[in-house]
Amino acid sequence: MRRVLGVAVLGAGAIARAHVVALKRHVEAFPDAPAASRLVVLAGRDAARTEAAARRLGAPRWTADWRGILDDPEVGALINAGPNDLHAGPSIAALAAGRAVLCEKPLARTAGEAERMAACAEQSAAASMAGFNYRFVPAVLLARRLLCDGALGRVYHFRGRYSDDSLLDPATPHTWRHDRGRAGSGVVADLASHVVDLAHFLVGPITAVTAAVRTYTPARPAPGGEAPVTVEDAVAATLEFQCGALGTLEAGGMCPGRKNFLAFEVNGRDGTLAFNLERMNELQVYCGGGRARGLADVLVTEPDHPFGGRWWPPGHVLGWEHTFVHQWDEFVRRVTGTAHEPVGATFADGLAASRVCDALLVAADTGRRVVVAGPGSDAGKAEPGAAGER
Ligand SMILES: NC(=O)c1ccc[n+]([C@@H]2O[C@H](COP(=O)([O-])OP(=O)(O)OC[C@H]3O[C@@H](n4cnc5c(N)ncnc54)[C@H](O)[C@@H]3O)[C@@H](O)[C@H]2O)c1
């Protein structure tokens, strides 16, 4: 008999639904999974809305106080899909109570918070994972394998961008995402954190940044009038990598026509890889040599491609929700101590991304080049004069 992992989900928003869909579909695509998963309880804030969401998602129990789920003996794992200000507290409490935790990105609002979470994960026997689901796009994973195989030779450039139109309409109501206290930052936490994680996943650690940010909509509708937007709507940055590569990053929610345009390009001595989430089944590849000296579109659905054969025959493409199923499979393998190819982000990876996000904000505040904090580095400090001298 396969073990059953009881799961609590914190948050009843859009992303909580994606996780619930994933845990329900997991065994269908991964019949070799070491455990099946069962949604046991949904924790939200507003009682009526949480109850309605629990009915919709098929949760047998619900609560408007997340603390109760840690006393539930049926709960073996927590999916933390709450807003950013609820990542650290419940995740640390769950790990301390011996529950495995899959926490959404960004791991925390600040690197300081992420440090506490990573330290707790390090000390806990329970499994943990940060929800950077785009690592689980087959085309992204193929890019990583090509880079690890050295197919591009020495890497010179990384260009990453995340553009959508979610902030364009000034009538869109104020939410926790527009409040620095609750979100940590705006598009830096929400969008750029994904780009930073993919940059780390593909090219390696980012060691220094420069950045500029803009807020184009200073206030948004809120009950009783308007509330101030205290976060940035756009960021543009340069990135320096430990391997010597130079990169750029751009993220913004004021890009008409862009819906979920998470894109990167990596240029190496021997080739180039390019990806765009709006065409998520394709990887553009140029690996030098031959007569065709341009990027070719590779449809990443072959049986020997990442996750190939798990779903449909070649050419029968996958969607956004499949990344959550792939991620959940690795999480379950971590929870059960089953061997797996480590793809997903650890809490340490989440901390690394948070340190870069903090560095981007310091760089934007000071107008200076900032060395990214890390063990042994000069924690998130702007380099005096460096911006002007370069
Ligand atoms: N990996 C991805 O691609 C991706 C995509 C979207 C969002 N996210 C992340 O997921 C998290 C949630 O985002 P979302 O879009 O679902 O947000 P959302 O605003 O749609 O949902 C947040 C949920 O948390 C609940 N909540 C708020 N305060 C609470 C409290 N005190 N106790 C319990 N529940 C509470 C709300 O009721 C709501 O159901 C964020 O950290 C975000 O960065 C990740």
Side-chain angles (χ1 to χ4, degrees), residues 9-19 42-46 49-50 53 63-67 80-87 90 103-107 131-134 162 175-177 182-183 189-191 193-194 260 277 320 323-324 327:
V9 174
L10 169 57
I15 209 68
R17 181 173 156 230
H19 286 286
L42 183 72
R45 184 180 44 182
D46 174 89
R49 282 199 208 142
T50 308
T63 171
D65 180 2
W66 63 266
R67 289 166 192 82
N80 189 334
N84 299 354
D85 59 331
L86 270 192
H87 287 188
C103 180
E104 261 306 332
K105 53 54 60 177
L107 186 62
F132 284 105
N133 57 306
Y134 296 127
Y162 206 151
T175 71
W176 62 267
R177 278 189 163 84
R182 296 202 65 196
D190 209 31
L191 302 180
S193 64
H194 275 299
N260 202 16
L277 187 65
W320 181 76
T323 65
F324 290 87
Q327 178 174 260

Side-chain angles (χ1 to χ4, degrees), residues 346-366:
T346 61
F347 272 26
D349 294 326
L351 167 59
S354 288
R355 283 178 168 148
V356 175
C357 289
D358 275 16
L360 291 170
L361 297 170
V362 174
D365 274 355
T366 60

Side-chain angles (χ1 to χ4, degrees), residues 113-188:
E113 242 180 16
E115 234 158 69
R116 289 200 297 283
M117 295 170 77
C120 182
E122 179 74 29
Q123 282 155 20
S124 172
S128 51
M129 199 161 162
F132 284 105
N133 57 306
Y134 296 127
R135 291 179 174 219
F136 292 90
V137 175
V140 171
L141 199 42
L142 179 61
R144 157 119 165 162
R145 287 186 186 162
L146 289 168
L147 283 157
C148 290
D149 290 349
L152 265 59
R154 181 177 169 193
V155 172
Y156 296 129
H157 298 299
F158 172 89
R159 254 171 240 107
R161 152 176 189 198
Y162 206 151
S163 309
D164 69 24
D165 60 3
S166 60
L167 300 175
L168 261 181
D169 184 354
T172 302
H174 192 278
T175 71
W176 62 267
R177 278 189 163 84
H178 308 113
D179 179 338
R180 189 160 184 158
R182 296 202 65 196
S185 57
V187 294
V188 167

